[in-house]
């Protein structure tokens, strides 16, 4: 685990399963049609219960760069912030990623959340480069925490060393 203080707040980097985090919310990268899909989406649906997909269905659509909050259902997390980030090397990937993390942080603030867990957004199926995701997410979170924020702890969650290394580099001294 890596930890860095930002004033009286903290950023952490851990290895693990984001769907098993005991936080106010964790973040899940969703598609525009608000379906959970497979992988982590399947884990969220099966372990969290039908209520999560029902709340997403009620929301309807989620445009790129936007975020929707649902309950965490039966999961340890109280809520899930579903964000529609960039996909498949789209034009303006960096800008779309910045908008997406901004939407996540805005939803967390609107709900008065204190703890938030973030994965490397878009880096799996959607092919956003890990280095870019790490740079944008860590930079945005550090900047956000320097200002007035309800958030006290933001945890970046990596599933393996491939994801862990670029986030570690950014937290420990990235630009």
């Amino acid at each position: 685990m890596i930890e860095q203080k930002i004033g009286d707040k903290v950023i952490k980097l851990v290895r693990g399963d984001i769907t098993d985090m005991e936080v106010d919310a964790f973040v899940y990268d969703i598609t525009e049609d608000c379906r959970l899909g497979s992988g982590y989406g399947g884990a969220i649906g099966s372990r969290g219960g039908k209520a999560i997909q029902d709340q997403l269905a009620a929301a309807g659509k989620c445009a790129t760069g936007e975020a929707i909050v649902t309950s965490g259902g039966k999961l340890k997390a109280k809520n899930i912030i579903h964000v529609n980030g960039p996909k498949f090397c789209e034009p303006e990937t960096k800008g779309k990623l910045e908008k997406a993390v901004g939407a996540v942080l805005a939803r967390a603030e609107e709900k008065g959340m204190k703890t938030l867990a973030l994965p490397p957004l878009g880096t799996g199926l959607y092919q956003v480069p890990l280095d870019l995701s790490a740079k944008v997410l860590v930079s945005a979170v550090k900047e956000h925490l320097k200002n007035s924020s309800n958030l006290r702890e933001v945890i970046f969650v990596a599933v393996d060393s491939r994801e862990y290394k670029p986030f570690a580099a950014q937290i420990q001294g990235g630009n």
Side-chain angles (χ1 to χ4, degrees), residues 142-156:
K142 282 182 176 181
E143 194 58 37
H144 184 82
L145 293 180
K146 287 178 185 175
N147 299 313
S148 178
S149 173
N150 291 314
L151 287 167
R152 302 329 263 160
E153 180 179 69
V154 177
I155 307 161
F156 292 99

Side-chain angles (χ1 to χ4, degrees), residues 56-136:
L56 286 170
K61 294 203 178 286
C62 183
T64 300
E66 296 301 317
I68 298 169
V69 179
T70 67
S71 75
K74 299 173 188 174
L75 296 168
K76 292 177 185 177
K78 294 174 189 164
N79 300 281
I80 303 168
I81 301 177
H82 306 266
V83 65
N84 186 359
K87 316 273 190 282
F88 302 112
C89 303
E90 294 174 322
E92 301 297 321
T93 298
K94 182 177 184 242
K96 289 177 182 176
L97 195 54
E98 289 168 341
K99 184 176 179 185
V101 73
V104 164
L105 295 169
R107 297 302 83 75
E109 292 297 338
E110 289 167 5
K111 299 290 184 181
M113 296 176 183
K114 305 279 186 225
T115 56
L116 177 68
L118 275 160
L121 286 178
T123 60
L125 174 66
Y126 300 130
Q127 301 177 3
V128 172
L130 263 167
D131 288 340
L132 176 63
S133 183
K135 185 173 186 170
V136 170

